[in-house]
Amino acid sequence: MTAWTPDELDRIGDAEELSLASYRADGTLRPYVVMWVARAGDELYTRSAYGPDAAWYRHALASGRGRIRAGGLEREVRFEPGDPEANAPLDADYHRKYDRHGPKIVGTVVGEHRYGVTVRLAPNEA
């Protein structure tokens, strides 16, 4: 199993935004979608601000794999369910990074109503 390097964790985890694209069944990439990224320990995550019906979220779960760009890096990833143990640390990291945008906006990605749409970004070999 591949793990994030300390440099990747710092660069992607500290990035303001993450671009994410999932693979289609024919092996081509869907268009990139811009979103926020948070870190819990040695793992990187994102959440669907618009819940389980967001197109990127549905496509990522169906595909299970894709590519991300953030912090000057581009990596192949697997999309995996979020670890429930990571929810509180993720909320804290989202608040640390994004509270300046205001509670209404940050509220779209923190709290129990978003725990079920947390996606772990697991590094994958290209």
Side-chain angles (χ1 to χ4, degrees):
M1 182 166 119
T2 304
W4 295 111
T5 68
D7 180 59
E8 289 171 327
L9 284 168
D10 289 343
R11 290 172 65 183
I12 297 169
D14 290 342
E16 177 70 15
E17 295 177 328
L18 170 98
S19 295
L20 176 150
S22 60
Y23 281 103
R24 295 181 180 101
D26 69 4
T28 61
L29 274 177
R30 293 185 180 282
Y32 282 90
V33 178
V34 177
M35 61 194 59
W36 288 347
V37 61
R39 179 177 173 178
D42 291 339
E43 302 293 344
L44 299 167
Y45 294 85
T46 192
R47 287 181 172 153
S48 177
Y50 299 105
D53 295 328
W56 79 263
Y57 179 78
R58 290 191 332 268
H59 295 311
L61 290 185
S63 171
R65 62 190 187 90
R67 186 175 295 161
I68 61 166
R69 296 176 179 160
L73 300 172
E74 186 167 343
R75 280 296 305 264
E76 293 289 315
V77 295
R78 294 182 316 277
F79 304 117
E80 300 178 348
D83 176 1
E85 296 292 317
N87 284 324
L90 286 174
D91 281 354
D93 198 43
Y94 274 116
H95 282 296
R96 176 189 67 81
K97 288 178 70 177
Y98 302 111
D99 268 356
R100 69 184 182 283
H101 295 286
K104 184 175 181 181
I105 295 172
V106 175
T108 65
V109 291
V110 298
E112 291 182 20
H113 68 290
R114 290 298 178 242
Y115 290 175
V117 290
T118 302
V119 177
R120 180 176 172 257
L121 305 170
N124 202 18
E125 294 299 320

